[in-house]
Amino acid sequence: MSQKLTVVGGGMVAHRLIEALLDRDTEQAWQIDLFCEEPVAPYDRVALTSYFSGNSPEDLLLGDADLAADPRVTVHLGGTVTALDTEARTVSTAAGVHGFDALVLATGSSAFVPPVAGSDLPGAFVYRTVQDVQDLEAWVLARQGRPLTGVVVGGGLLGLEAAGALHGLGVRATVVEFADRLMPLQVDEGGGAALRRIIEGLGVEVRTSAASAALHAGAGGEVAAMELADGTKIEADVVVFATGVRPRDELAREAGLVIGERGGVVVDDGCATVVPEVYAVGEVACIQGRTWGLVGPGNTMAEVVVDRLLGGEATFPGADTSTKLKLLGVDVASFGDAFAETPGALEVVYADPVAGVYKKLVVSDDAKTLLGGILVGDASSYASLRPMLGAELGSDPNAWLLPEGSGAPVTGQLPDAATVCSCNNVTAGTIRCAVTDEGCTDLGAVKACTKAGTSCGSCLPLVKNLVNTELEKSGVEVSNALCEHFAFSRAQLFDIVSVTGLRNFSEIIASHGTGRGCDICRPVVASILASLGTGHVLDKDQARLQDTNDHVMANLQKDGTYSVVPRVPAGEITPEGLIAIGQVAHDFGLYTKITGGQRIDLFGARLEQLPAIWKRLVDAGFESGHAYGKSLRTVKSCVGSTWCRYGVQDSVGMAVELELRYRGLRAPHKLKLGVSGCARECAEARGKDVGVIATDNGWNLYVGGNGGFTPRHAVLFAEDLDTETLVRTIDRFLMYYVRTADRLQRTAPWVEAHGIEAIREVILEDSLGICADLDAAMAAHVGSYCDEWAATLADPDKLAQFVSFVNDPEASDPDLAYVEERGQRRPATASERTLIAGPTLEVRA
Amino acid sequence: MTVRMGGGGWVSVCTKKQLIPERGVAVLVKDQQVALFRVTNAEGEEFVYAVGHRDPFADANVIARGIVGSVGQGEDQRDTVASPMYKHVFDLRTGECLTDPSGRLPVYRTWIAGGVVYVHPEPVDVPALVAS
Ligand code: SRM
Ligand SMILES: Cc1cc2nc3c(=O)[nH]c(=O)nc-3n(C[C@H](O)[C@H](O)[C@H](O)COP(=O)(O)OP(=O)(O)OC[C@H]3O[C@@H](n4cnc5c(N)ncnc54)[C@H](O)[C@@H]3O)c2cc1C
Ligand code: SF4
Ligand code: FES
């Protein structure tokens, strides 16, 4: 016969407990009664704030399946337990008295409101339940129509979330914090200063070292202002208290259970109270001498109790208090010994006040072991760092803090015991095990099996990394599917298209994919088709595949206008050419700038102006610079032997030749080349995908250089080549890359993935026997090149799409607005726009 | 399927021929900028979706220049457009943003008669989905 378990409180931890029990209680030993004071089934309190970004209370409900649907569970919604009799083993609700064999108190906490006068005025709220956020929203919405101000008391995690919510509702919020900085429990002085700048940058005011003294009512009896201890008053149409929580231990108190000094039901390491078979879990429990205001430790307690109910002996191992602020646009994380309280601990700090970044790592006295840290402004390394707590960093701590170090690959070194997901207490070992022993073959399966990554999600990048590494190790092919529509990588798709001869997207997706495609696979197919020489980017059904940049052959700017970049091979330009570009810019009112690629960018062209601008440029002898395409951008050159005292070869001539040869070549990502006239390397050729450096005997060829996010120097590929060999080698290198690289993979990571030696064998020794094929493909490209813009101008059908509005071809976007700065115009900012209001500044046709 | 609401107010904006299959165009409808997309489903039925042209995340009028696509399969397939600015993906039928629920596009009713596309300037709450 089954026993009766009563769970008091239907919060997050109770939910976890019941879910785990249902799962593990294969003998059906337990029948469960769940009493919920709130009128809703257990929901995700951690995600409460997402209510303001459109998540309905239903969206917040926890779990895939309805607990109540399980015959072993009876859910009593609105069933507040009013008394607990531990002798008679009964609980009472308004509906009657219920007996139990075992009881779990999971009553959580209530929001604490400090005893200030007026805290009960209409318009003063707390921030804990769905009801709270609904009331708050209704209050604000009812008063909309005039500028509203609000005060959030408390500058901790919860207060900042509440301030974000008010801000989102259009309320000008001020955060009042008693301590001398925001999030005093999580961040130190430096972090607090950086955080403050970020929060203020959002338009939220911050008052630190300030105590609230009283709330004052206005004429209508509603809250109107908050008075601080120093006498200043802040106007407020709404006040939110986020000043901490108090455990809801009232039932336990009356039942005579032991209560902690600061509240909470005292339990042993097995989560049991003084009364046998009566447990407490979650925020109401005082375990190891303290209460825990986080869901992670609560979930661990739930698992402990489930184990005990099933005859096990699990104990609470302690918990991680790492936290990450969930506020859009504000990156804050704090973990481990963030305040360096461990004897001998060292602090390594990186701060960039301009970028608003503050990062600190706390390490052991030998600078090897990670003890804790604080990340403000850029918490991207949080997911990788947190699980390293207590482990050796394996490299100089600085490497983790510098911007380039943020992606430091570490998953290989993670000890099995490291907690990867602190919300759900999942270790690296458990995740590895899910792959090796439980047969999970993708991230989704691992999430479902281990629950890792299912709460706040901040650990997902790391979980994914671990899963992939483990899959690879066990020889399983990691899915390299492009997107949900194609199960192939770009390289595989390239082969399919090239072999099948299919030349339009509809056929390709019908025979090798599913659905309608998306913004990932469509441009990839467009690029493959272009590499295979299928004609103009706007031909036939290719137009629908192109990203807007390729579609209109210009680069989209932040205000919806475009930039225009004519090709200037090698950066060499005649005075007449300069004048022509200048004249066009002048006549169309375009902002001009010399780019980092040795040419001129003209910004602010409206869609309907592009053909007229290009007509003028083409007439002046210019052609598309493909600044928009995943294709050759520029071949940067230095002035070389023609003028330079030290030059040993004509680098400009070589750069012009290369730029004209590869212009228009569509690739997995953009391509940049550089040619320097001597080893002084003024063209920075080693920062390019292909770098050529003159030697006394010819040219040295370097490949795989990259600027951008992960800078890399190109590596020497071949030495002292004559011009013909040089060009042939570059031809092959580029074509091989075009055919085999992944989507958006530049040559640097591609070279790394294939290995420079292997590429050398393919290209210099023809180990695959494909060189003739590569040569032919490049010859076809060079032979068929024509300027996309000149072709477009000659085709009325293609020109028809260059209008802002089909029903008013002359009209331009009426929302565009500009201001003048340093003698040129630029898009008005949002605040400048409101100033300009009404008619926009004049723009020339 | 043809949904027609009473009350008049429909504005003719262009011919169906001016709509490029699977690609958007923008039209002005009584001072509102509206993006139209002509899409054919697996059964060969053609739809014209109308949503706001303004990308709520970028505050720029660019939605019509996004890439049309789909999310999900079979019964659950939803037609989408990815904004060219920051690649937010919107459900063309409901205007919901699938990548960030904090933004959405207004949705308009369309009606095609005699090769002419009409748009109702009043945005709707319910999915408006009209075939030729
Ligand atoms: C205009 C220019 C900046 C300038 O004012 O100088 C520029 C502007 C843009 N760059 Fe760049 N980059 C420019 C030179 C560079 C350089 C320097 C260079 O080429 O010598 C680099 C580093 C070198 C490199 O690429 O390895 C550079 C690395 C990037 C990256 C990072 C690529 C990477 O591998 O990590 C991106 C992002 C991307 O492509 O995904 C990017 C993307 C962009 C985009 C396209 C961003 C966007 O999507 O809107 C910018 C718009 C261009 C436009 O015309 O509207 N830009 N960009 C430069 C144009 C050069 C040209 O004449 O074509
Ligand atoms: C806005 C917000 C953001 C948060 N963000 C995070 C975060 O990012 N990370 C994190 O770890 N934690 C976060 N937390 C804290 C986290 O939500 C709690 O730690 C967690 O919900 C505790 O779970 P619990 O089950 O112990 O209590 P609760 O979820 O509070 O559930 C207790 C339930 O018991 C009910 N109850 C009380 N008394 C009775 C009674 N006598 N009879 C019947 N029912 C009763 C209550 O009404 C309540 O529904 C956040 C909290 C809030 C409010
Ligand atoms: S670095 Fe490049 S992408 Fe970034 S702002 Fe400058 S131009 Fe734009
Ligand atoms: S750490 Fe929050 S879901 Fe994993």
Side-chain angles (χ1 to χ4, degrees):
Chain A
M1 222 203 77
S2 65
Q3 292 187 285
K4 285 190 81 166
L5 171 70
T6 287
V7 180
V8 186
M12 298 188 71
V13 173
H15 183 269
R16 168 55 61 90
L17 184 136
I18 294 172
E19 215 179 39
L21 183 58
L22 293 179
D23 194 41
R24 287 176 53 188
D25 180 16
T26 44
E27 318 262 284
Q28 316 251 336
W30 291 97
Q31 194 69 34
I32 307 162
D33 269 302
L34 172 64
F35 292 93
C36 305
E37 174 190 65
E38 293 185 69
V40 285
Y43 58 88
D44 189 353
R45 199 178 304 288
V46 169
L48 193 60
T49 299
S50 69
Y51 172 80
F52 293 102
S53 51
N55 267 342
S56 68
E58 292 73 48
D59 296 332
L60 291 175
L61 291 180
L62 283 169
D64 308 328
D66 186 3
L67 287 184
D70 193 299
R72 288 174 284 171
V73 186
T74 312
V75 179
H76 306 264
L77 290 185
T80 307
V81 172
T82 49
L84 161 63
D85 186 336
T86 52
E87 303 232 313
R89 306 218 144 223
T90 56
V91 291
S92 315
T93 66
V97 178
H98 307 256
F100 61 80
D101 295 305
L103 176 103
V104 178
L105 289 169
T107 47
S109 307
S110 56
F112 168 72
V113 178
V116 296
S119 62
D120 53 352
L121 285 174
F125 296 87
V126 293
Y127 202 79
R128 176 80 192 175
T129 63
V130 160
Q131 189 65 51
D132 293 336
V133 292
Q134 284 176 328
D135 290 349
L136 173 62
E137 183 189 43
W139 178 269
V140 171
L141 292 185
R143 280 156 189 78
Q144 259 173 357
R146 61 187 167 91
L148 295 176
T149 54
V151 170
V152 175
V153 188
L157 276 169
L158 194 61
L160 291 182
E161 270 195 39
L166 282 185
H167 186 68
L169 287 170
V171 177
R172 234 188 56 230
T174 303
V175 174
V176 173
E177 166 58 48
F178 186 72
D180 61 356
R181 60 179 185 276
L182 294 172
M183 290 179 63
L185 298 181
Q186 290 85 16
V187 307
D188 59 6
E189 224 180 288
L195 176 57
R196 180 187 190 122
R197 270 194 299 271
I198 300 174
I199 298 290
E200 288 177 337
L202 293 177
V204 172
E205 250 187 80
V206 177
R207 300 273 183 101
T208 47
S209 307
S212 50
L215 297 193
H216 297 291
E222 301 168 348
V223 71
M226 153 150 290
E227 186 180 330
L228 301 181
D230 68 2
T232 39
K233 278 193 186 166
I234 310 172
E235 280 181 32
D237 302 290
V238 52
V239 173
V240 180
F241 285 100
T243 32
V245 293
R246 293 291 179 268
R248 297 209 38 194
D249 52 19
E250 60 271 13
L251 273 180
R253 266 179 211 274
E254 279 166 29
L257 299 178
V258 180
I259 304 299
E261 220 171 289
R262 295 198 182 145
V265 183
V266 175
V267 294
D268 64 16
D269 275 358
C271 296
T273 65
V274 282
V275 179
E277 303 300 335
V278 173
Y279 302 88
V281 294
E283 285 195 356
V284 75
C286 175
I287 193 166
Q288 296 178 349
R290 58 169 290 191
T291 52
W292 301 72
L294 294 170
V295 72
N299 284 340
T300 308
M301 293 179 221
E303 302 280 353
V304 168
V305 171
V306 167
D307 189 68
R308 298 252 159 177
L309 289 173
L310 298 176
E313 309 231 294
T315 53
F316 183 72
D320 179 7
T321 50
S322 305
T323 36
K324 190 162 186 288
L325 179 63
K326 308 181 298 296
L327 183 58
L328 200 70
V330 188
D331 238 7
V332 184
S334 158
F335 53 98
D337 181 12
F339 293 98
E341 282 158 354
T342 312
L346 303 174
E347 299 187 5
V348 187
V349 176
Y350 167 85
D352 179 351
V354 179
V357 174
Y358 174 88
K359 302 190 213 179
K360 181 178 92 174
L361 292 190
V362 178
V363 291
S364 56
D365 49 9
D366 58 0
K368 281 194 178 142
T369 307
L370 180 67
L371 300 176
I374 294 172
L375 305 167
V376 178
D378 170 14
S380 53
S381 49
Y382 173 66
S384 344
L385 278 170
R386 198 204 51 228
M388 303 282 292
L389 276 179
E392 291 207 358
L393 277 172
S395 60
D396 176 5
N398 276 302
W400 289 88
L401 294 178
L402 299 175
E404 310 89 86
S406 52
V410 294
T411 43
Q413 322 162 1
L414 264 188
D416 272 351
T419 304
V420 172
C421 173
S422 66
C423 284
N424 299 293
N425 293 298
V426 187
T427 62
T430 309
I431 291 169
R432 292 191 176 116
C433 197
V435 176
T436 49
D437 300 354
E438 312 280 334
C440 297
T441 52
D442 60 26
L443 182 62
V446 171
K447 280 172 72 178
C449 167
T450 64
K451 295 234 154 16
T454 53
S455 302
C456 74
S458 62
C459 58
L460 274 179
L462 193 56
V463 176
K464 180 168 180 201
N465 218 325
L466 276 168
V467 170
N468 284 353
T469 312
E470 218 48 44
L471 283 173
E472 271 161 10
K473 259 199 241 155
S474 52
V476 178
E477 206 162 313
V478 175
S479 165
N480 46 13
L482 208 48
C483 62
E484 66 166 282
H485 306 102
F486 285 100
F488 309 103
S489 69
R490 179 190 176 278
Q492 290 169 323
L493 203 54
F494 193 103
D495 287 342
I496 290 171
V497 175
S498 130
V499 170
T500 57
L502 293 173
R503 287 298 179 264
N504 82 50
F505 183 74
S506 330
E507 288 166 22
I508 295 170
I509 196 162
S511 55
H512 292 89
T514 57
R516 198 183 278 298
C518 65
D519 58 312
I520 293 174
C521 58
R522 284 187 175 208
V524 166
V525 171
S527 151
I528 291 173
L529 290 173
S531 300
L532 290 169
T534 47
H536 198 280
V537 286
L538 300 184
D539 275 347
K540 295 185 276 320
D541 94 340
Q542 287 197 43
R544 71 181 65 170
L545 308 181
Q546 310 287 2
D547 183 53
T548 185
N549 283 6
D550 285 281
H551 190 237
V552 307
M553 297 173 291
N555 286 44
L556 182 69
Q557 302 301 314
K558 62 197 286 184
D559 64 348
T561 62
Y562 292 86
S563 78
V564 168
V565 188
R567 186 168 297 292
V568 178
E572 186 183 61
I573 188 164
T574 61
E576 291 70 29
L578 275 175
I579 290 168
I581 291 180
Q583 199 64 51
V584 170
H586 179 262
D587 293 351
F588 288 87
L590 305 175
Y591 166 92
T592 55
K593 180 179 182 300
I594 310 287
T595 71
Q598 297 189 332
R599 48 194 189 169
I600 300 167
D601 206 338
L602 314 173
F603 294 86
R606 300 194 305 270
L607 188 52
E608 67 277 8
Q609 292 178 311
L610 289 172
I613 292 171
W614 271 105
K615 173 91 181 51
R616 293 269 301 273
L617 290 170
V618 168
D619 286 348
F622 288 100
E623 60 176 16
S624 169
H626 297 103
Y628 45 84
K630 301 285 173 252
S631 54
L632 178 78
R633 294 289 165 85
T634 62
V635 181
K636 184 171 177 175
S637 77
C638 72
V639 66
S641 61
T642 43
W643 287 89
C644 177
R645 287 180 290 167
Y646 298 112
V648 292
Q649 306 282 352
D650 175 12
S651 49
V652 179
M654 174 55 75
V656 170
E657 180 179 340
L658 294 177
E659 185 153 348
L660 296 182
R661 185 168 180 83
Y662 304 123
R663 61 188 166 178
L665 179 68
R666 273 356 198 235
H669 207 316
K670 58 191 175 194
L671 286 168
K672 298 176 178 184
L673 280 63
V675 184
S676 279
C678 81
R680 287 172 188 76
E681 244 284 72
C682 298
E684 301 173 307
R686 287 195 62 198
K688 306 295 179 202
D689 296 283
V690 174
V692 176
I693 300 177
T695 66
D696 289 332
N697 308 317
W699 310 95
N700 280 355
L701 172 61
Y702 295 80
V703 297
N706 205 170
F709 189 70
T710 316
R712 280 214 189 100
H713 271 135
V715 292
L716 185 61
F717 194 70
E719 281 176 289
D720 288 331
L721 304 177
D722 59 42
T723 298
E724 194 192 325
T725 317
L726 173 75
V727 172
R728 191 175 59 234
T729 311
I730 301 176
D731 280 359
R732 291 176 181 175
F733 176 79
L734 292 180
M735 259 311 159
Y736 188 42
Y737 162 70
V738 164
R739 298 203 158 181
T740 57
D742 259 339
R743 177 183 100 91
L744 297 187
Q745 183 179 43
R746 288 197 62 180
T747 57
W750 174 76
V751 166
E752 196 164 293
H754 286 242
I756 189 76
E757 271 317 317
I759 297 175
R760 260 198 202 107
E761 280 166 25
V762 173
I763 288 169
L764 300 178
E765 291 155 32
D766 201 6
S767 63
L768 298 179
I770 58 170
C771 283
D773 201 26
L774 297 177
D775 291 346
M778 189 58 85
H781 163 74
V782 176
S784 66
Y785 171 82
C786 77
D787 176 25
E788 284 161 13
W789 260 111
T792 303
L793 291 173
D795 184 340
D797 279 351
K798 290 188 178 116
L799 286 178
Q801 59 144 326
F802 289 91
V803 293
S804 283
F805 305 103
V806 281
N807 61 341
D808 194 349
E810 306 291 303
S812 56
D813 180 350
D815 292 342
L816 296 175
Y818 296 91
V819 294
E820 206 178 282
E821 189 171 84
R822 297 187 293 276
Q824 299 198 69
R825 57 175 206 148
R826 63 153 172 83
T829 61
S831 51
E832 285 164 348
R833 251 170 221 268
T834 35
L835 287 180
I836 297 169
T840 54
L841 282 196
E842 209 225 314
V843 204
R844 278 200 242 190
Chain B
M1 177 178 59
T2 303
V3 181
R4 258 187 90 181
M5 314 297 265
W10 291 88
V11 179
S12 75
V13 288
C14 62
T15 63
K16 202 172 122 190
K17 278 212 189 97
Q18 284 176 293
L19 302 181
I20 309 158
E22 307 261 300
R23 193 99 228 162
V25 304
V27 291
L28 282 171
V29 183
K30 301 214 160 154
D31 292 342
Q32 298 179 81
Q33 302 194 20
V34 175
L36 300 180
F37 297 89
R38 174 172 158 187
V39 171
T40 311
N41 69 11
E43 282 76 55
E45 280 176 278
E46 257 192 354
F47 300 101
V48 174
Y49 293 114
V51 295
H53 187 32
R54 189 170 195 75
D55 178 335
F57 300 100
D59 259 354
N61 301 307
V62 296
I63 292 296
R65 304 180 217 151
I67 292 182
V68 173
S70 69
V71 163
Q73 280 162 34
E75 297 270 285
D76 297 330
Q77 181 169 321
R78 303 166 88 175
D79 293 331
T80 57
V81 61
S83 168
M85 199 60 88
Y86 302 120
K87 314 291 175 199
H88 287 99
V89 176
F90 298 89
D91 184 322
L92 281 171
R93 205 167 56 88
T94 62
E96 287 166 277
C97 178
L98 305 180
T99 44
D100 179 348
S102 69
R104 62 154 55 222
L105 303 176
V107 177
Y108 301 86
R109 281 169 281 156
T110 62
W111 177 44
I112 302 171
V116 175
V117 181
Y118 298 82
V119 174
H120 201 289
E122 192 73 17
V124 281
D125 291 336
V126 288
L129 199 168
V130 182
S132 53

